[in-house]
Amino acid sequence: MTSGAQGGETRLALMAGIGCYLIWGFVPLVFQAIGRLGVGPWEILAHRTLWGTPTALAFVLAARQGRQVLRVFSDRRVLAWLALSSTLIAVNWSVFIWAVTHGRVLESSLGYYITPLINMAAGALLFRERIDRIGAVAIGLATVGVVIQGLAIGHLPLISLALAVSFGGYGVVRKQVRADAQTGLFIECLFLSVPGLVYALWLAGHGLGHFTQSPGTTLWLLASGPITAAPLVLFSWCARRLPLSVMGFMQFIGPTIGIAIGVAEGEAFGPLRAISFLFIWGGAAVFACGAWRRSRGLRRAGAPD
């Protein structure tokens, strides 16, 4: 591939990465809008999985991964891993939806600042990856930030920790799955769409469903599928084409937008809470700096990122 073609692909990957994190950053506004229509968190989750399935299938067909899907269905071990990852992402989605529709956007944002540091700790504990001095400092700063956040809100930031652990665990499990992102996402959505469909039908049968309440509600719930699947596919595509250093910095776009949304909506952001975020931001910055240094070292050694 020529340098011009490589540069073009890099620019496209950068745009895809920024796009996926912008979507994730503004997603709280989508679920808040749906919540204001009277739709509860569990019903939102049900429709998110239902309409995420055909969207994920479209990506599978576009990537011509139909045969890979069939291979996965014939491999019980891979299916078991995907069943576990489905459970973890369902926990993550349900906690996130509940948080942003109950005025807890700041706590949800904190969770996604902690996630990369959870991944680093999990790598050391589960995969014997070495944590260097920079990594230890990053984890230490984040830990102090979580403790201060707990003091600020009067209890442990359980929402933040649940989001970080569930999404970090999801990443760990997906490392074990021999399937591309589109295939894995489709099968996960397929698993989750079964209870989602049952719950949506139960609500409709008891006159409690909101899907046909109004054209606006129907459109919002239908849109929750593409909003779920599209950024995950964009992320997977750009992650294979951009250096770790670039991905390390970009992954903080989403929660930073979330903080802005929470503050704009009037969530409490006193001095103690601000200090806790400074520690979290410090840990995130150290983490990103470490990723940049490692990526730069790999380039100097002539190894791929």
Side-chain angles (χ1 to χ4, degrees), residues 50-68:
L50 274 176
W51 307 116
T53 303
T55 307
L57 176 60
F59 283 119
V60 165
L61 296 176
R64 297 181 180 179
Q65 293 177 357
R67 291 183 179 179
Q68 186 179 114

Side-chain angles (χ1 to χ4, degrees), residues 229-256:
L232 286 169
V233 173
L234 287 173
F235 172 80
S236 174
W237 188 82
C238 72
R240 296 185 178 186
R241 291 164 174 82
L242 291 177
L244 289 174
S245 55
V246 177
M247 295 300 297
F249 280 105
M250 283 201 305
Q251 68 185 337
F252 302 116
I253 293 174
T256 301

